[in-house]
């Protein structure tokens, strides 16, 4: 599966040396794995001296998108570079490469020559000191984390929170939580989190419901704010 994934996402043809390095196996093992894939029905063209191309992958169903859908995919993944962290940006590009690998030749050419491009002037972004992989894992697996946080006034607090989700923007990354200290919703700027470690509480399966309630509360607040700003005559 790692070899198939590498063949999908790297520019073609891919040399044996590059494939071996990417999959962390020896060239001899690579040749055996190529032979195994071919024996299983995967169409891998090429030779050791030229490079390999995956021309048909039975592990994935055929994909079909409209030209506008292809534009949307390309534009969305390209936008990650403007506000996502490196791991998220790389994951998006790898996922897009696997999608493009399943398209027809005509649609693959459309993806290569998409007319829409995402670009914005570089903006200063605060560095993130904590392990974002741990924070993502806590959101998905619904376990609490302990954080040390320094607010805009420079005051430092330590608390345990239930991480519900993260919100990306061009300038910063926000974390939405249920704070066990305040027994209420709290949002934190991730670059201001100075320390992060796994907590002791598990809140499965509450995350989805808590997040829905949070979104509803914010929507109600915006509605009240709009009504106050534009009272009926």
């Amino acid at each position: 599966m790692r070899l198939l994934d590498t063949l999908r996402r790297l520019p073609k043809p891919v040399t044996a040396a590059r494939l071996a390095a990417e999959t962390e196996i020896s060239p001899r093992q690579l040749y055996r794995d190529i032979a195994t894939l071919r024996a299983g029905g995967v169409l891998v063209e090429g030779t050791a001296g030229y490079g390999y191309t995956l021309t048909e992958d039975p592990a994935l169903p055929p994909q079909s998108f409209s030209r506008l859908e292809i534009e949307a995919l390309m534009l969305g993944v390209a936008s990650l570079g403007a506000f996502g962290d490196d791991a998220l940006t790389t994951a998006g590009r790898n996922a897009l490469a696997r999608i493009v690998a399943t398209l027809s030749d005509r649609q693959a050419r459309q993806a290569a020559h998409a007319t829409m491009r995402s670009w914005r002037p570089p903006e200063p972004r605060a560095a993130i000191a904590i392990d974002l992989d741990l924070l993502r894992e806590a959101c998905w697996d619904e376990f609490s984390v302990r954080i040390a946080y320094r607010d805009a006034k420079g005051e430092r607090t330590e608390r345990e929170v239930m991480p519900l989700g993260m919100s990306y923007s061009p300038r910063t990354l926000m974390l939405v939580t249920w704070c066990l200290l305040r027994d209420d919703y709290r949002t934190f700027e991730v670059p201001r989190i100075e320390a992060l470690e796994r907590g002791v509480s598990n809140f499965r399966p509450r995350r989805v419901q808590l997040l829905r309630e949070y979104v509803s509360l914010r929507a109600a607040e915006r509605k009240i704010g709009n009504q106050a700003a534009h009272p009926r005559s």
Side-chain angles (χ1 to χ4, degrees):
M1 293 305 297
R2 285 197 301 163
L3 180 56
L4 279 173
D5 178 66
T6 305
L7 282 166
R8 291 186 196 111
R9 61 183 173 82
L10 292 183
K12 303 167 181 55
V14 193
T15 64
R18 179 73 183 279
L19 284 171
E22 288 282 336
T23 54
E24 300 180 344
I25 59 176
S26 67
R28 180 176 296 181
Q29 180 64 48
L30 173 72
Y31 300 142
R32 288 198 293 263
D33 289 348
I34 291 289
T36 300
L37 288 176
R38 285 170 169 168
V42 180
L43 296 184
V44 181
E45 294 184 351
T47 60
Y50 170 71
Y52 295 99
T53 300
L54 180 65
T55 59
E56 182 178 326
D57 181 5
L60 290 176
Q63 298 276 7
S64 181
F65 297 95
S66 69
R67 185 163 58 188
L68 192 59
E69 287 171 337
I70 292 173
E71 293 279 2
L73 287 170
M74 302 298 292
L75 189 64
V77 172
S79 299
L80 288 175
F83 59 84
D85 58 273
D86 291 342
L88 188 65
T89 301
T90 300
R93 290 171 179 168
N94 290 343
L96 181 61
R98 287 198 291 272
I99 292 172
V100 172
T102 68
L103 299 177
S104 65
D105 289 343
R106 178 181 62 84
Q107 290 183 322
R109 288 193 296 270
Q110 290 175 351
H113 301 288
T115 60
M116 300 180 190
R117 289 290 184 267
S118 173
W119 182 88
R120 62 181 66 191
E123 297 185 43
R125 293 175 58 86
I128 295 175
I130 61 170
D131 183 359
L132 281 180
D133 287 339
L134 175 60
L135 192 55
R136 290 192 183 100
E137 182 184 358
C139 290
W140 282 112
D141 292 345
E142 300 178 15
F143 59 81
S144 66
V145 292
R146 288 191 289 266
I147 64 173
Y149 186 76
R150 192 173 300 277
D151 64 19
K153 297 179 181 179
E155 298 180 0
R156 192 176 190 271
T157 59
E158 296 183 4
R159 63 187 75 192
E160 188 170 357
V161 300
M162 297 176 177
L164 306 180
M166 291 185 283
S167 175
Y168 285 82
S169 75
R171 290 191 176 274
T172 191
L173 173 61
M174 302 297 295
L175 174 66
V176 179
T177 74
W178 178 266
C179 179
L180 297 178
L181 177 65
R182 304 301 184 190
D183 198 29
D184 198 359
Y185 293 103
R186 289 292 186 273
T187 57
F188 301 94
E189 292 186 40
V190 175
R192 294 186 179 276
I193 301 177
E194 298 181 342
L196 172 76
E197 63 180 21
R198 185 177 181 128
V200 298
S201 302
N202 185 291
F203 57 102
R204 179 170 290 175
R206 296 179 58 198
R207 185 180 74 89
V208 173
Q209 184 59 37
L210 285 169
L211 195 54
R212 285 175 178 167
E213 291 175 359
Y214 174 82
V215 172
S216 296
L217 286 172
R218 297 291 84 83
E221 290 175 355
R222 286 193 296 271
K223 183 177 181 180
I224 293 173
N226 290 336
Q227 290 175 345
H230 305 283
R232 295 181 180 179
S233 57

